[in-house]
Amino acid sequence: MLTALVVTLLAALGLTAPPAAYGQGSANGTDGGRPATAADQTLTWTAGNDIDRYLTAPAEAVAGPATIVFENSEATGNTTGMPHTLTFDTSDPSRYNADVDLNILANPADDNGGRHTAEVTLTPGTYRYYCTIPGHGAMQGTLVVTDPGGGEDTTAPETSHEISGQQDSDGAYIGGATVALSATDPGSGVEKIEYALDGGEFAEYAAPVAVDAVGEHRLVYRAVDRAGNVSAEKAVEFTVVAPPEEDTTAPETS
């Protein structure tokens, strides 16, 4: 009845009702066929003809429910019909939050006119977002999510390691060993992981550390979160032995 009254009043004034809102998309960009649930915040990304940047993107948010809006339409400057995606990176939980599976494909000619929404729940830390369309790799950035209570993060990250390689009967690694490091921080998020091998200087960890020098080794590691908290140092010790020498002698026969 209220809707009918509004329409009647608008007609009497010579005005028209505003167009209906675009459909609410799910996390993969499809139409969910239902109204969006209310969220505490709305975060909007826009794209256009550029393939090296999102035209607008949020830099910060607070933990909790959020409405994600991704618009790649004529209204945002897309005059070529080029598709873009808004995808959250979940491939490296040691560096970025991986608890939101968001992958929205949008273009001006789709059923939503290039405007899609999704309801998500964000947790404290850092999310990395990017466009998955080939050639659009420069379209990326990070979203830092803080505790809505504004409490200071005083807790250091949790760290762990995993070592792999072929071992002999004594537990030594034949020909080499690889050490993978990881860290988690539910507060401000992990800023970096550092390691030092055999008493050397600490270096920032970027990929599993391969060690093939024969002998005993000790790798020390730690992590730092975005609030500056440093974890306690941990160490992993292991031994690398040379692989068996190649047999170049033929058998003796009789």
Side-chain angles (χ1 to χ4, degrees), residues 8-138:
T8 301
L9 291 173
L10 289 173
L13 294 172
L15 303 173
T16 59
Y22 288 108
Q24 302 301 319
S26 66
N28 61 10
T30 60
D31 190 340
R34 59 173 178 80
T37 57
D40 292 343
Q41 59 191 325
T42 299
L43 305 173
T44 302
W45 282 258
T46 63
N49 292 335
D50 293 335
I51 64 172
D52 59 353
R53 66 187 181 99
Y54 290 93
L55 300 182
T56 63
E60 298 179 347
V62 295
T67 298
I68 301 292
V69 178
F70 177 44
E71 184 168 357
N72 176 35
S73 67
E74 292 184 5
T76 60
N78 191 325
T79 60
T80 63
M82 181 185 303
H84 295 293
T85 77
L86 173 63
T87 306
F88 277 21
D89 184 359
T90 59
S91 65
D92 188 358
S94 68
R95 297 189 65 187
Y96 303 108
N97 290 13
D99 56 349
V100 174
D101 186 11
L102 185 78
N103 185 30
I104 301 175
L105 172 65
N107 67 78
D110 64 31
D111 291 342
N112 286 343
R115 186 179 190 277
H116 298 258
T117 64
E119 302 300 327
V120 302
T121 300
L122 304 174
T123 56
T126 301
Y127 294 86
R128 175 181 176 270
Y129 58 84
Y130 67 106
C131 179
T132 63
I133 304 296
H136 297 194

